C-alpha cells in the first residue's frame, strides 16, 4: 500500500510539473506559449514587415527576363511576385525573446505568377511558395540574407476559390498591382524543422497558416499578420511518459 501511495504521489507531482510547463513549446530554436491571449482563436499570431518586387517573366524595353522590378507601374502579366521580410513579434514576444538559438525568424516568398487581372484591376496570382528561417545573421536586407541558416517552415500557397472574381487565386487582393493593396493568402506546411508543430489543416481551405498584409500605393514595403494553430512537441509527451514508466518500474522492483 505504501508503494502505491508513493507511486500515486510521484505521479501527481510529475503531472503538476508537466502541466506547468506543457504550454511552452520550443521547436527549431524558437519558443512560444500557445496559451498567450493574442485576441484570435488560434494558438499563435505573428506580426512583421516585408519588402516585395516582381521578377520579369518576359523581356521588354530596358527589362530582361529575370530582372527585378520595383516600379510596379512597369509590371506585366507573367511577371512573378517575390520578396522577403521578418517576424517582429511571435505571440507577444520580440525576436530576442522568441529566438532561443537564432537572431530572428526571417521569411521569403516567391513564384507568385501574375496570371491575369480582375474586372476591378486586382491581380490574380497562380502558384507561389514561402519559407521561414531561423536566421543567425540579424535582420535580413535581401532575399539571400533572409533565406540563410535553418529552414524552420517550408510553405506552399493554397488556392482560394473565392479570390480573383471567383476564378481562384493564391492571393486574394483588394487593390491593384501599383496601388494600395490589402492581401490574404493561405499556406500549407510541407517541411522545415518546426513542420510537425504547424501541420494542422485548421485554417480555411484546409490550410495550416493564414496570412494578411497591407501595402500603401507606391510603396514596396508593408506589414503583415500570420496566424495558425500549433501542436506540442511529441518529445515533451514522451519525456513525461518515460518518467511515469520509470516510477512504475521502481515500484515493481521494490515490491
Amino acid at each position: 500500500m505504501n508503494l502505491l501511495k508513493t507511486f500515486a504521489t510521484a505521479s501527481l507531482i510529475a503531472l503538476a510539473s508537466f502541466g506547468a510547463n506543457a504550454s511552452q513549446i520550443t521547436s527549431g530554436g524558437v519558443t512560444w506559449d500557445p496559451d498567450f491571449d493574442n485576441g484570435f482563436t488560434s494558438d499563435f499570431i505573428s506580426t512583421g514587415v516585408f519588402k516585395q518586387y516582381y521578377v520579369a517573366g518576359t523581356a521588354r524595353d530596358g527589362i530582361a527576363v529575370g530582372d527585378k522590378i520595383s516600379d510596379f507601374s512597369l509590371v506585366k502579366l507573367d511577371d512573378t511576385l517575390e520578396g522577403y521580410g521578418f517576424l517582429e513579434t511571435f505571440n507577444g514576444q520580440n525576436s530576442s525573446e522568441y529566438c532561443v538559438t537564432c537572431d530572428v525568424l526571417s521569411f521569403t516568398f516567391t513564384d507568385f505568377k501574375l496570371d491575369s487581372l480582375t474586372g476591378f484591376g486586382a491581380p490574380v496570382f497562380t502558384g507561389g511558395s514561402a519559407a521561414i528561417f531561423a536566421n543567425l545573421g540579424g535582420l535580413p536586407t535581401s532575399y539571400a540574407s533572409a533565406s540563410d541558416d535553418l529552414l524552420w517552415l517550408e510553405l506552399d500557397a493554397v488556392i482560394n476559390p473565392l479570390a480573383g472574381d471567383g476564378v481562384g487565386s493564391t492571393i486574394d487582393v483588394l487593390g491593384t498591382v501599383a496601388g494600395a493593396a490589402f492581401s490574404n493568402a493561405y499556406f500549407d506546411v510541407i517541411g522545415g524543422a518546426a513542420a510537425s508543430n504547424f501541420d494542422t489543416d485548421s485554417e480555411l481551405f484546409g490550410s495550416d497558416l493564414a496570412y494578411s498584409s497591407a501595402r500603401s500605393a507606391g510603396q514596396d514595403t508593408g506589414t503583415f499578420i500570420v496566424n495558425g494553430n500549433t501542436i506540442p512537441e511529441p518529445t515533451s509527451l514522451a519525456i513525461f511518459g518515460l518518467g511515469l514508466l520509470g516510477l512504475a518500474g521502481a515500484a515493481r522492483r521494490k515490491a
Side-chain angles (χ1 to χ4, degrees), residues 123-147:
V124 176
F125 293 96
T126 57
S129 62
I132 300 176
F133 297 85
N135 201 309
L136 298 174
L139 298 182
T141 57
S142 66
Y143 188 98
S145 64
S147 53

Side-chain angles (χ1 to χ4, degrees), residues 132-226:
I132 300 176
F133 297 85
N135 201 309
L136 298 174
L139 298 182
T141 57
S142 66
Y143 188 98
S145 64
S147 53
D148 282 344
D149 303 311
L150 177 68
L151 176 60
W152 201 66
L153 285 179
E154 185 179 6
L155 310 167
D156 260 353
V158 173
I159 294 176
N160 179 346
L162 305 179
D165 281 356
V167 300
S169 178
T170 46
I171 307 179
D172 186 13
V173 181
L174 177 61
T176 62
V177 171
F182 299 90
S183 305
N184 295 293
Y186 298 91
F187 292 92
D188 270 338
V189 173
I190 61 171
S196 62
N197 296 101
F198 291 89
D199 188 8
T200 63
D201 300 332
S202 59
E203 297 297 327
L204 283 178
F205 315 116
S207 65
D208 301 312
L209 299 178
Y211 173 94
S212 300
S213 67
R215 179 183 57 79
S216 299
Q219 299 295 313
D220 61 357
T221 58
T223 59
F224 71 86
I225 296 174
V226 61

Side-chain angles (χ1 to χ4, degrees), residues 3 6 249-255:
L3 285 175
T6 300
R252 282 197 299 270
R253 285 194 299 273
K254 288 183 179 180

Side-chain angles (χ1 to χ4, degrees), residues 20-160:
N21 297 286
S23 62
Q24 197 73 16
I25 299 175
T26 300
S27 184
V30 177
T31 186
W32 69 97
D33 182 0
D35 293 331
F36 171 74
D37 184 8
N38 55 38
F40 282 63
T41 57
S42 51
D43 291 339
F44 88 96
I45 181 171
S46 287
T47 61
V49 296
F50 68 90
K51 182 181 180 69
Q52 71 173 46
Y53 49 86
Y54 284 80
V55 178
T58 57
R60 54 260 200 193
D61 291 344
I63 298 176
V65 173
D67 282 354
K68 293 180 180 179
I69 305 170
S70 295
D71 182 350
F72 299 151
S73 66
L74 301 177
V75 171
K76 303 291 185 183
L77 297 184
D78 293 332
D79 292 343
T80 56
L81 180 65
E82 187 173 282
Y84 63 92
F86 65 93
L87 279 61
E88 291 182 305
T89 67
F90 197 124
N91 270 17
Q93 301 179 108
N94 60 37
S95 60
S96 65
E97 296 168 318
Y98 71 68
C99 259
V100 179
T101 59
C102 57
D103 290 336
V104 69
L105 283 177
S106 57
F107 80 99
T108 59
F109 53 95
T110 189
D111 293 333
F112 288 91
K113 181 181 177 182
L114 181 57
D115 187 70
S116 61
L117 300 175
T118 69
F120 296 99
V124 176
F125 293 96
T126 57
S129 62
I132 300 176
F133 297 85
N135 201 309
L136 298 174
L139 298 182
T141 57
S142 66
Y143 188 98
S145 64
S147 53
D148 282 344
D149 303 311
L150 177 68
L151 176 60
W152 201 66
L153 285 179
E154 185 179 6
L155 310 167
D156 260 353
V158 173
I159 294 176
N160 179 346

